[in-house]
């Protein structure tokens, strides 16, 4: 199933984004507030398209996904922390969202 952001959920998400600022988490808020079309992120290195669809949360059966095609989830299933999970993804040749956020923070700190 799926649900859209409500004003109350948007307020809670805003508080979370203020506490742990990430560009990815802020995008549904931007869409909720009316942002549409091509949007630059990652200091202009990436572009995404915002629409009302960005305000939706989709729900699915995780166990069924891991049993079938979710190789990334399977790779991190037994990780004991975020660093171990990130290294498991690196082992598959995947550059993670964590890697992108760390690079953006390092660039901002220069």
């Amino acid at each position: 199933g799926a649900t859209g952001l409500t004003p109350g959920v948007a307020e809670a998400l805003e508080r979370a984004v203020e506490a742990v600022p990430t560009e990815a988490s802020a995008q549904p808020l931007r869409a909720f507030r009316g942002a549409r079309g091509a949007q630059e992120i990652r200091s202009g290195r990436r572009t995404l398209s915002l629409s009302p669809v960005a305000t939706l949360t989709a729900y699915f059966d995780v166990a069924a996904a891991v049993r079938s095609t979710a190789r990334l989830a399977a790779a991190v299933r037994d990780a004991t922390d975020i660093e171990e999970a990130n290294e498991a993804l690196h082992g598959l040749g995947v550059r993670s969202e964590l890697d992108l956020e760390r690079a953006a923070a390092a660039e901002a700190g220069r």
Side-chain angles (χ1 to χ4, degrees):
T3 65
L5 281 179
T6 63
V9 172
E11 288 176 20
L13 181 56
E14 184 169 25
R15 288 190 302 274
V17 168
E18 287 171 2
V20 182
T22 68
E23 286 184 305
S25 297
Q27 299 316 306
L29 284 173
R30 294 180 66 217
F32 182 77
R33 293 185 180 123
R36 301 288 184 267
Q39 308 288 316
E40 289 186 353
I41 61 170
R42 308 276 184 248
S43 300
R45 292 187 311 274
R46 300 279 191 275
T47 303
L48 57 89
S49 180
L50 284 185
S51 74
V53 173
T55 67
L56 292 177
T57 298
Y59 300 92
F60 64 96
D61 185 334
V62 175
V66 169
R67 285 191 308 268
S68 61
T69 60
R71 70 183 183 97
L72 301 183
V76 302
R77 176 180 28 214
D78 297 325
T80 59
D81 60 30
I82 195 167
E83 296 301 334
E84 191 175 329
N86 206 37
E87 287 306 312
L89 294 175
H90 292 164
L92 295 175
V94 174
R95 185 168 182 216
S96 70
E97 182 71 17
L98 178 59
D99 296 326
L100 295 172
E101 291 292 344
R102 285 180 172 165
E107 186 173 305
R110 290 183 193 172

XYZ file of all heavy atoms in Angstrom:
795
model
N 0.814 -1.176 0.000
C 0.000 0.000 0.000
C 0.862 1.246 0.000
O 2.084 1.169 -0.055
N 0.218 2.379 0.054
C 0.923 3.662 0.062
C 0.083 4.703 0.786
O -1.141 4.613 0.791
C 1.201 4.130 -1.362
N 0.768 5.663 1.393
C 0.100 6.808 2.000
C 0.887 8.060 1.662
O 2.095 8.004 1.423
C -0.003 6.697 3.535
O 1.311 6.730 4.093
C -0.693 5.439 3.973
N 0.204 9.183 1.646
C 0.860 10.458 1.398
C 1.177 11.168 2.705
O 0.647 10.835 3.759
N 2.067 12.138 2.629
C 2.382 12.950 3.805
C 1.150 13.719 4.253
O 0.417 14.260 3.431
C 3.479 13.959 3.488
C 4.910 13.473 3.460
C 5.850 14.618 3.101
C 5.325 12.878 4.782
N 0.963 13.764 5.536
C -0.076 14.605 6.128
C 0.642 15.786 6.783
O 1.860 15.735 6.988
C -0.858 13.832 7.201
O 0.047 13.488 8.260
C -1.517 12.584 6.633
N -0.062 16.848 7.113
C 0.607 17.967 7.792
C 1.346 17.536 9.066
O 2.477 17.977 9.312
C -0.537 18.938 8.092
C -1.525 18.682 6.989
C -1.458 17.187 6.772
N 0.758 16.669 9.854
C 1.408 16.208 11.076
C 2.680 15.421 10.805
O 3.705 15.612 11.474
N 2.626 14.535 9.826
C 3.809 13.749 9.465
C 4.877 14.664 8.867
O 6.075 14.508 9.140
C 3.439 12.605 8.502
C 4.683 11.918 7.967
C 2.533 11.602 9.199
N 4.463 15.641 8.071
C 5.426 16.588 7.498
C 6.139 17.364 8.606
O 7.357 17.591 8.531
C 4.724 17.545 6.533
N 5.419 17.751 9.649
C 6.044 18.454 10.772
C 7.065 17.557 11.476
O 8.155 18.005 11.827
C 4.981 18.919 11.768
C 4.150 20.082 11.268
C 3.035 20.466 12.231
O 3.118 20.104 13.430
O 2.085 21.125 11.780
N 6.717 16.306 11.683
C 7.637 15.361 12.321
C 8.865 15.133 11.446
O 9.999 15.095 11.942
C 6.926 14.042 12.605
N 8.663 15.010 10.140
C 9.782 14.826 9.223
C 10.674 16.062 9.222
O 11.895 15.948 9.188
C 9.274 14.510 7.812
C 10.339 14.263 6.749
C 11.303 13.159 7.143
C 9.666 13.945 5.413
N 10.076 17.235 9.282
C 10.865 18.470 9.333
C 11.762 18.487 10.574
O 12.936 18.846 10.488
C 9.955 19.687 9.317
C 10.727 20.988 9.267
C 9.840 22.178 8.978
O 8.631 22.110 9.268
O 10.365 23.171 8.467
N 11.239 18.088 11.711
C 12.054 18.032 12.937
C 13.189 17.027 12.773
O 14.317 17.273 13.200
C 11.188 17.689 14.144
C 10.280 18.829 14.577
C 9.615 18.572 15.915
N 8.813 17.358 15.959
C 7.536 17.275 15.576
N 6.906 18.352 15.119
N 6.885 16.133 15.647
N 12.910 15.901 12.145
C 13.945 14.891 11.926
C 15.033 15.418 10.995
O 16.223 15.223 11.246
C 13.325 13.615 11.345
N 14.633 16.119 9.938
C 15.602 16.673 8.983
C 16.442 17.768 9.645
O 17.625 17.918 9.343
C 14.888 17.188 7.710
C 15.809 18.008 6.838
C 14.319 16.014 6.924
N 15.848 18.510 10.560
C 16.615 19.522 11.293
C 17.651 18.861 12.197
O 18.767 19.347 12.330
C 15.684 20.407 12.118
C 14.878 21.374 11.277
C 13.802 22.110 12.067
O 13.699 21.903 13.307
O 13.061 22.887 11.447
N 17.290 17.741 12.814
C 18.201 17.035 13.717
C 19.297 16.298 12.956
O 20.450 16.268 13.381
C 17.420 16.054 14.587
N 18.932 15.684 11.826
C 19.879 14.934 10.998
C 19.681 15.386 9.556
O 18.923 14.778 8.800
C 19.666 13.403 11.122
C 20.696 12.647 10.297
C 19.692 12.959 12.570
N 20.336 16.486 9.181
C 20.086 17.042 7.847
C 20.679 16.174 6.729
O 21.863 15.910 6.711
C 20.768 18.406 7.890
C 21.753 18.327 9.006
C 21.277 17.273 9.957
N 19.794 15.690 5.864
C 20.216 15.000 4.640
C 19.350 15.508 3.502
O 18.157 15.762 3.686
C 20.061 13.462 4.737
O 18.682 13.134 4.776
C 20.776 12.892 5.952
N 19.953 15.653 2.359
C 19.190 16.127 1.204
C 18.079 15.153 0.835
O 16.985 15.563 0.469
C 20.118 16.333 0.005
C 20.977 17.550 0.107
C 21.802 17.745 -1.144
O 22.534 16.814 -1.539
O 21.706 18.838 -1.727
N 18.350 13.868 0.936
C 17.351 12.873 0.541
C 16.092 12.982 1.390
O 14.981 12.952 0.859
C 17.954 11.472 0.649
N 16.251 13.119 2.690
C 15.086 13.193 3.574
C 14.300 14.473 3.382
O 13.099 14.520 3.665
C 15.530 13.092 5.033
O 16.138 11.852 5.279
N 14.959 15.525 2.917
C 14.282 16.809 2.743
C 13.426 16.866 1.486
O 12.518 17.701 1.393
C 15.315 17.939 2.707
N 13.641 15.985 0.520
C 12.929 16.083 -0.756
C 11.413 15.886 -0.626
O 10.650 16.635 -1.237
C 13.530 15.138 -1.788
C 14.990 15.433 -2.107
C 15.298 16.906 -2.295
O 14.676 17.593 -3.095
N 16.259 17.406 -1.524
N 10.933 14.914 0.153
C 9.477 14.821 0.308
C 8.871 16.084 0.920
O 7.770 16.492 0.537
C 9.292 13.612 1.238
C 10.528 12.814 1.053
C 11.617 13.801 0.797
N 9.586 16.719 1.839
C 9.096 17.978 2.417
C 8.999 19.061 1.354
O 8.029 19.808 1.312
C 10.029 18.457 3.533
C 9.922 17.729 4.849
C 11.025 18.187 5.796
C 8.561 17.950 5.467
N 10.008 19.145 0.504
C 9.990 20.143 -0.566
C 8.798 19.898 -1.489
O 8.104 20.841 -1.879
C 11.311 20.125 -1.336
C 12.481 20.587 -0.456
C 13.801 20.572 -1.182
N 13.753 21.573 -2.237
C 14.324 21.410 -3.437
N 14.970 20.308 -3.719
N 14.233 22.346 -4.343
N 8.563 18.632 -1.827
C 7.420 18.306 -2.693
C 6.106 18.602 -1.974
O 5.164 19.118 -2.586
C 7.484 16.835 -3.116
N 6.036 18.297 -0.682
C 4.835 18.571 0.105
C 4.520 20.063 0.095
O 3.359 20.464 0.061
C 5.053 18.077 1.542
C 3.870 18.260 2.443
C 2.782 17.398 2.366
C 3.842 19.275 3.376
C 1.690 17.558 3.200
C 2.753 19.442 4.216
C 1.674 18.582 4.127
N 5.566 20.885 0.082
C 5.386 22.340 0.096
C 5.237 22.934 -1.306
O 5.200 24.150 -1.463
C 6.563 22.975 0.818
C 6.560 22.621 2.289
C 7.642 23.347 3.038
N 7.600 22.971 4.424
C 8.613 22.453 5.094
N 9.778 22.254 4.483
N 8.487 22.141 6.357
N 5.217 22.077 -2.323
C 4.905 22.565 -3.654
C 6.031 22.574 -4.662
O 5.815 22.951 -5.812
N 7.239 22.164 -4.283
C 8.339 22.127 -5.257
C 8.017 21.102 -6.335
O 7.548 20.005 -6.050
C 9.662 21.787 -4.569
N 8.256 21.469 -7.571
C 7.963 20.595 -8.708
C 9.065 20.715 -9.745
O 9.736 21.726 -9.856
C 6.636 20.990 -9.387
C 5.425 20.934 -8.474
C 5.041 19.484 -8.177
N 3.823 19.414 -7.379
C 3.788 19.350 -6.052
N 4.898 19.385 -5.345
N 2.648 19.254 -5.413
N 9.211 19.668 -10.524
C 10.137 19.691 -11.644
C 11.561 19.370 -11.249
O 11.833 18.853 -10.169
N 12.493 19.680 -12.154
C 13.912 19.364 -11.954
C 14.475 20.170 -10.788
O 14.302 21.378 -10.722
C 14.696 19.652 -13.226
N 15.137 19.459 -9.880
C 15.750 20.069 -8.703
C 17.190 19.583 -8.606
O 17.449 18.390 -8.725
C 15.008 19.666 -7.422
C 13.515 19.890 -7.460
C 13.148 21.347 -7.388
O 13.711 22.088 -6.594
N 12.200 21.758 -8.206
N 18.106 20.504 -8.376
C 19.504 20.117 -8.211
C 19.780 19.771 -6.756
O 19.290 20.434 -5.838
C 20.436 21.250 -8.639
C 20.462 21.476 -10.121
C 21.500 22.510 -10.534
O 22.113 23.153 -9.657
O 21.685 22.668 -11.747
N 20.566 18.706 -6.564
C 21.057 18.329 -5.245
C 22.538 18.011 -5.382
O 23.076 18.041 -6.489
C 20.280 17.138 -4.642
C 20.415 15.892 -5.522
C 18.815 17.505 -4.426
C 19.872 14.618 -4.874
N 23.175 17.714 -4.253
C 24.605 17.367 -4.265
C 25.438 18.465 -4.904
O 26.286 18.210 -5.754
C 24.859 16.047 -4.971
C 24.019 14.898 -4.472
C 24.648 14.281 -3.255
N 23.899 13.120 -2.831
C 23.209 13.070 -1.704
N 23.204 14.101 -0.899
N 22.537 11.991 -1.369
N 25.154 19.705 -4.502
C 25.883 20.868 -5.027
C 25.813 20.934 -6.550
O 26.780 21.300 -7.209
C 27.336 20.856 -4.553
O 27.403 20.893 -3.144
N 24.677 20.536 -7.104
C 24.473 20.595 -8.544
C 24.978 19.386 -9.308
O 24.848 19.321 -10.526
N 25.566 18.401 -8.595
C 26.097 17.215 -9.285
C 25.006 16.218 -9.658
O 25.223 15.349 -10.483
C 27.148 16.527 -8.408
C 28.422 17.335 -8.237
C 29.500 16.547 -7.506
N 29.041 15.903 -6.296
C 28.982 16.480 -5.098
N 29.335 17.732 -4.951
N 28.574 15.795 -4.051
N 23.850 16.332 -9.045
C 22.741 15.430 -9.328
C 21.469 16.247 -9.533
O 21.311 17.331 -8.989
C 22.498 14.461 -8.168
C 23.656 13.556 -7.823
C 23.710 12.364 -8.770
N 24.635 11.352 -8.323
C 25.935 11.350 -8.575
N 26.470 12.327 -9.246
N 26.702 10.367 -8.160
N 20.569 15.693 -10.307
C 19.271 16.323 -10.530
C 18.196 15.271 -10.289
O 18.369 14.109 -10.642
C 19.166 16.850 -11.981
O 20.226 17.756 -12.221
C 17.849 17.572 -12.202
N 17.109 15.702 -9.683
C 15.964 14.811 -9.518
C 14.712 15.578 -9.903
O 14.725 16.797 -9.998
C 15.873 14.289 -8.083
C 15.779 15.316 -6.963
C 14.344 15.679 -6.675
C 16.412 14.740 -5.715
N 13.662 14.848 -10.144
C 12.400 15.458 -10.528
C 11.413 15.297 -9.386
O 11.117 14.172 -8.979
C 11.857 14.798 -11.796
O 10.634 15.403 -12.158
N 10.932 16.420 -8.867
C 9.950 16.374 -7.783
C 8.543 16.520 -8.340
O 8.298 17.301 -9.253
C 10.200 17.495 -6.770
C 11.367 17.301 -5.817
C 11.412 18.442 -4.806
C 11.299 15.972 -5.100
N 7.654 15.734 -7.748
C 6.229 15.786 -8.074
C 5.480 15.370 -6.816
O 6.089 14.979 -5.821
C 5.915 14.836 -9.231
O 5.934 13.493 -8.773
N 4.167 15.404 -6.838
C 3.417 14.938 -5.672
C 3.738 13.489 -5.287
O 3.584 13.106 -4.132
C 1.959 15.084 -6.107
C 1.987 16.202 -7.098
C 3.287 16.009 -7.846
N 4.218 12.706 -6.222
C 4.567 11.308 -5.941
C 5.670 11.236 -4.875
O 5.730 10.278 -4.101
C 4.996 10.580 -7.234
C 5.520 9.181 -6.953
C 3.837 10.532 -8.215
N 6.515 12.262 -4.785
C 7.603 12.267 -3.804
C 7.085 12.315 -2.370
O 7.843 12.057 -1.437
C 8.542 13.441 -4.058
N 5.820 12.627 -2.183
C 5.257 12.691 -0.831
C 4.669 11.355 -0.378
O 4.167 11.250 0.730
C 4.162 13.768 -0.731
O 3.041 13.379 -1.525
C 4.674 15.124 -1.175
N 4.743 10.349 -1.234
C 4.164 9.044 -0.907
C 5.157 8.149 -0.182
O 6.344 8.158 -0.481
C 3.712 8.319 -2.175
C 2.542 8.921 -2.924
C 2.266 8.119 -4.190
C 1.312 8.987 -2.046
N 4.651 7.380 0.742
C 5.408 6.308 1.373
C 4.784 5.009 0.905
O 3.578 4.802 1.058
C 5.330 6.389 2.912
O 5.905 7.630 3.332
C 6.078 5.241 3.566
N 5.606 4.153 0.314
C 5.122 2.855 -0.158
C 5.486 1.787 0.869
O 6.555 1.833 1.475
C 5.753 2.517 -1.498
N 4.581 0.866 1.088
C 4.791 -0.239 2.013
C 4.843 -1.532 1.215
O 4.068 -1.725 0.292
C 3.643 -0.300 3.024
C 3.528 0.963 3.837
C 2.695 1.998 3.427
C 4.265 1.135 4.992
C 2.593 3.172 4.167
C 4.176 2.308 5.731
C 3.336 3.316 5.304
O 3.242 4.476 6.032
N 5.791 -2.383 1.599
C 5.882 -3.671 0.918
C 6.381 -4.727 1.899
O 6.849 -4.420 2.989
C 6.785 -3.583 -0.317
C 8.225 -3.252 0.004
C 9.172 -4.254 0.124
C 8.627 -1.939 0.184
C 10.493 -3.949 0.420
C 9.944 -1.628 0.492
C 10.872 -2.636 0.607
N 6.301 -5.960 1.501
C 6.688 -7.092 2.334
C 8.199 -7.292 2.212
O 8.698 -7.822 1.217
C 5.928 -8.337 1.875
C 6.169 -9.545 2.746
O 7.230 -9.643 3.394
O 5.276 -10.415 2.772
N 8.932 -6.864 3.240
C 10.396 -6.919 3.214
C 10.881 -8.366 3.100
O 11.800 -8.655 2.326
C 10.988 -6.235 4.461
C 12.497 -6.404 4.511
C 10.614 -4.760 4.474
N 10.314 -9.251 3.870
C 10.761 -10.648 3.837
C 10.629 -11.235 2.433
O 11.534 -11.915 1.953
C 9.972 -11.478 4.845
N 9.532 -10.947 1.766
C 9.344 -11.449 0.402
C 10.360 -10.826 -0.550
O 10.905 -11.510 -1.422
C 7.926 -11.160 -0.077
N 10.646 -9.539 -0.365
C 11.624 -8.871 -1.231
C 13.020 -9.450 -1.040
O 13.742 -9.707 -2.008
C 11.628 -7.370 -0.957
N 13.415 -9.676 0.206
C 14.746 -10.237 0.473
C 14.858 -11.642 -0.093
O 15.902 -12.024 -0.614
C 15.061 -10.209 1.990
C 16.308 -11.016 2.316
C 15.226 -8.768 2.460
N 13.783 -12.407 -0.014
C 13.805 -13.762 -0.575
C 13.908 -13.749 -2.092
O 14.333 -14.731 -2.695
C 12.548 -14.531 -0.162
C 12.560 -14.989 1.277
C 11.422 -15.965 1.564
N 10.116 -15.482 1.148
C 9.268 -14.797 1.922
N 9.603 -14.514 3.159
N 8.102 -14.404 1.471
N 13.516 -12.670 -2.734
C 13.498 -12.672 -4.189
C 14.651 -11.852 -4.771
O 15.716 -12.387 -5.036
C 12.144 -12.172 -4.695
O 11.923 -10.836 -4.259
N 14.465 -10.572 -4.964
C 15.415 -9.798 -5.745
C 16.160 -8.712 -4.984
O 16.890 -7.940 -5.585
C 14.691 -9.123 -6.924
O 13.683 -8.266 -6.403
C 14.095 -10.133 -7.867
N 16.014 -8.646 -3.686
C 16.618 -7.554 -2.924
C 18.044 -7.902 -2.494
O 18.345 -8.083 -1.323
C 15.745 -7.206 -1.725
N 18.962 -7.966 -3.443
C 20.331 -8.383 -3.134
C 21.043 -7.406 -2.205
O 21.885 -7.817 -1.415
C 21.141 -8.603 -4.410
C 21.488 -7.350 -5.178
C 22.235 -7.687 -6.477
N 22.618 -6.478 -7.159
C 23.812 -5.917 -7.070
N 24.754 -6.488 -6.359
N 24.087 -4.799 -7.699
N 20.704 -6.128 -2.272
C 21.348 -5.165 -1.378
C 20.888 -5.376 0.059
O 21.686 -5.330 0.997
C 21.080 -3.733 -1.830
C 21.557 -3.388 -3.239
C 21.291 -1.920 -3.549
C 23.019 -3.726 -3.437
N 19.600 -5.609 0.236
C 19.083 -5.896 1.576
C 19.708 -7.173 2.115
O 20.096 -7.241 3.287
C 17.563 -6.005 1.543
N 19.817 -8.177 1.284
C 20.422 -9.433 1.716
C 21.879 -9.227 2.106
O 22.368 -9.822 3.065
C 20.301 -10.485 0.611
N 22.569 -8.352 1.393
C 23.993 -8.102 1.672
C 24.204 -7.452 3.034
O 25.220 -7.689 3.678
C 24.593 -7.225 0.576
N 23.264 -6.644 3.486
C 23.439 -5.929 4.755
C 22.637 -6.542 5.904
O 22.718 -6.074 7.036
C 23.088 -4.426 4.621
C 23.951 -3.771 3.557
C 21.620 -4.223 4.302
N 21.887 -7.588 5.645
C 20.990 -8.179 6.642
C 21.698 -8.522 7.947
O 21.166 -8.295 9.024
C 20.319 -9.416 6.058
C 19.447 -10.154 7.037
C 18.784 -11.393 6.468
N 19.549 -11.985 5.400
C 19.015 -12.602 4.354
N 17.719 -12.714 4.244
N 19.776 -13.113 3.415
N 22.895 -9.046 7.901
C 23.583 -9.473 9.113
C 24.607 -8.463 9.626
O 25.341 -8.756 10.566
C 24.275 -10.824 8.868
C 23.274 -11.931 8.563
O 22.170 -11.910 9.146
O 23.595 -12.800 7.736
N 24.636 -7.275 9.041
C 25.582 -6.246 9.499
C 25.229 -5.825 10.928
O 24.055 -5.718 11.280
C 25.536 -5.042 8.564
N 26.258 -5.581 11.712
C 26.032 -5.196 13.108
C 25.941 -3.693 13.299
O 25.498 -3.231 14.346
C 27.148 -5.749 14.014
O 28.409 -5.236 13.558
C 27.156 -7.273 13.994
N 26.369 -2.928 12.298
C 26.253 -1.470 12.389
C 26.301 -0.887 10.976
O 26.465 -1.610 9.995
C 27.342 -0.860 13.281
C 28.765 -1.129 12.789
O 28.986 -1.261 11.565
O 29.674 -1.177 13.638
N 26.155 0.415 10.902
C 26.061 1.078 9.589
C 27.370 0.980 8.807
O 27.362 0.868 7.585
C 25.588 2.542 9.750
C 25.149 3.082 8.390
C 26.659 3.408 10.404
C 24.372 4.381 8.476
N 28.497 0.990 9.516
C 29.786 0.887 8.819
C 29.944 -0.487 8.169
O 30.399 -0.591 7.029
C 30.943 1.170 9.786
C 30.956 2.571 10.336
C 31.044 3.663 9.280
O 31.578 3.420 8.170
O 30.573 4.775 9.561
N 29.581 -1.522 8.895
C 29.670 -2.871 8.338
C 28.727 -3.021 7.145
O 29.080 -3.632 6.137
C 29.343 -3.896 9.424
C 29.665 -5.314 9.024
C 29.447 -6.292 10.166
O 29.614 -5.923 11.346
O 29.091 -7.451 9.849
N 27.549 -2.456 7.254
C 26.596 -2.507 6.142
C 27.146 -1.767 4.929
O 27.056 -2.249 3.798
C 25.261 -1.904 6.573
N 27.732 -0.605 5.172
C 28.284 0.182 4.071
C 29.420 -0.576 3.385
O 29.521 -0.578 2.159
C 28.748 1.543 4.588
C 28.742 2.606 3.518
O 27.873 2.633 2.659
N 29.706 3.498 3.582
N 30.261 -1.243 4.170
C 31.349 -2.025 3.585
C 30.815 -3.211 2.783
O 31.367 -3.561 1.740
C 32.331 -2.486 4.667
C 33.200 -1.358 5.197
C 33.949 -0.600 4.095
O 34.571 -1.246 3.214
O 33.882 0.646 4.106
N 29.724 -3.809 3.244
C 29.119 -4.906 2.484
C 28.642 -4.400 1.122
O 28.803 -5.082 0.099
C 27.961 -5.516 3.270
N 28.066 -3.207 1.100
C 27.632 -2.614 -0.175
C 28.823 -2.317 -1.061
O 28.788 -2.558 -2.276
C 26.805 -1.356 0.079
C 25.468 -1.587 0.772
C 24.790 -0.258 1.073
C 24.560 -2.492 -0.045
N 29.895 -1.789 -0.467
C 31.110 -1.538 -1.251
C 31.608 -2.833 -1.892
O 32.105 -2.820 -3.025
C 32.200 -0.937 -0.379
C 31.894 0.439 0.100
N 32.575 1.031 1.125
C 30.963 1.348 -0.282
C 32.099 2.240 1.345
N 31.102 2.449 0.502
N 31.482 -3.949 -1.145
C 31.902 -5.248 -1.678
C 31.132 -5.660 -2.921
O 31.624 -6.448 -3.734
N 29.937 -5.099 -3.075
C 29.134 -5.363 -4.277
C 29.358 -4.307 -5.354
O 28.703 -4.323 -6.390
C 27.645 -5.395 -3.918
C 27.189 -6.520 -2.993
C 25.719 -6.340 -2.642
C 27.421 -7.874 -3.644
N 30.242 -3.333 -5.055
C 30.488 -2.262 -6.016
C 29.469 -1.145 -5.951
O 29.323 -0.380 -6.907
N 28.765 -1.038 -4.821
C 27.720 -0.035 -4.674
C 28.247 1.152 -3.881
O 28.794 0.989 -2.796
C 26.487 -0.629 -3.953
C 25.454 0.442 -3.659
C 25.887 -1.754 -4.789
N 28.066 2.344 -4.417
C 28.343 3.576 -3.684
C 27.028 3.973 -3.015
O 26.020 4.201 -3.682
C 28.809 4.670 -4.638
C 29.222 5.924 -3.922
C 29.937 6.869 -4.866
N 30.370 8.035 -4.123
C 30.394 9.254 -4.606
N 30.041 9.462 -5.865
N 30.792 10.253 -3.869
N 27.040 4.040 -1.701
C 25.805 4.207 -0.945
C 25.416 5.666 -0.756
O 26.205 6.584 -0.974
C 25.952 3.550 0.429
O 26.858 4.312 1.222
N 24.189 5.850 -0.290
C 23.709 7.176 0.080
C 24.586 7.746 1.194
O 24.865 8.940 1.219
C 22.244 7.096 0.529
C 21.638 8.433 0.889
C 21.383 9.343 -0.304
O 21.363 8.858 -1.443
O 21.203 10.554 -0.077
N 25.040 6.897 2.112
C 25.940 7.339 3.179
C 27.226 7.902 2.583
O 27.715 8.945 3.031
C 26.246 6.177 4.131
C 27.203 6.459 5.269
C 26.694 7.588 6.162
C 27.440 5.194 6.089
N 27.767 7.250 1.579
C 28.964 7.757 0.910
C 28.713 9.136 0.312
O 29.546 10.042 0.435
C 29.415 6.802 -0.210
C 29.840 5.448 0.301
O 30.412 5.369 1.407
O 29.598 4.453 -0.421
N 27.564 9.304 -0.333
C 27.233 10.589 -0.948
C 27.071 11.676 0.106
O 27.542 12.808 -0.072
C 25.964 10.462 -1.782
C 26.067 9.544 -3.002
C 24.697 9.349 -3.634
C 27.044 10.093 -4.010
N 26.412 11.363 1.217
C 26.227 12.345 2.288
C 27.570 12.725 2.906
O 27.811 13.895 3.206
C 25.280 11.804 3.366
C 23.846 11.677 2.917
C 23.157 13.006 2.669
O 23.658 14.059 3.110
O 22.099 12.989 2.022
N 28.439 11.761 3.108
C 29.763 12.052 3.678
C 30.587 12.921 2.723
O 31.264 13.838 3.163
C 30.497 10.758 4.001
C 29.952 10.089 5.233
C 30.681 8.819 5.544
N 30.258 8.298 6.836
C 30.500 7.067 7.252
N 31.176 6.228 6.491
N 30.089 6.684 8.453
N 30.507 12.628 1.444
C 31.245 13.445 0.468
C 30.714 14.864 0.450
O 31.478 15.833 0.392
C 31.136 12.810 -0.923
N 29.402 15.025 0.524
C 28.799 16.357 0.542
C 29.209 17.123 1.798
O 29.514 18.316 1.741
C 27.274 16.260 0.460
N 29.248 16.442 2.946
C 29.654 17.092 4.192
C 31.119 17.494 4.139
O 31.493 18.581 4.595
C 29.402 16.154 5.379
N 31.956 16.637 3.563
C 33.376 16.961 3.442
C 33.579 18.162 2.522
O 34.381 19.037 2.800
C 34.150 15.751 2.921
N 32.816 18.191 1.435
C 32.921 19.303 0.497
C 32.449 20.610 1.143
O 33.042 21.655 0.958
C 32.096 19.011 -0.757
C 32.274 20.065 -1.836
C 31.581 19.682 -3.119
O 31.860 18.587 -3.619
O 30.760 20.483 -3.602
N 31.373 20.531 1.916
C 30.843 21.720 2.596
C 31.816 22.235 3.646
O 31.851 23.444 3.924
C 29.497 21.405 3.232
N 32.612 21.331 4.224
C 33.566 21.714 5.258
C 34.850 22.318 4.730
O 35.668 22.821 5.483
N 35.024 22.308 3.428
C 36.266 22.846 2.836
C 36.269 24.342 2.863
O 35.403 25.060 2.811
C 36.403 22.379 1.392
C 36.701 20.926 1.310
C 36.896 20.528 -0.122
N 36.886 19.073 -0.191
C 36.888 18.411 -1.293
N 36.942 19.013 -2.433
N 36.868 17.098 -1.292
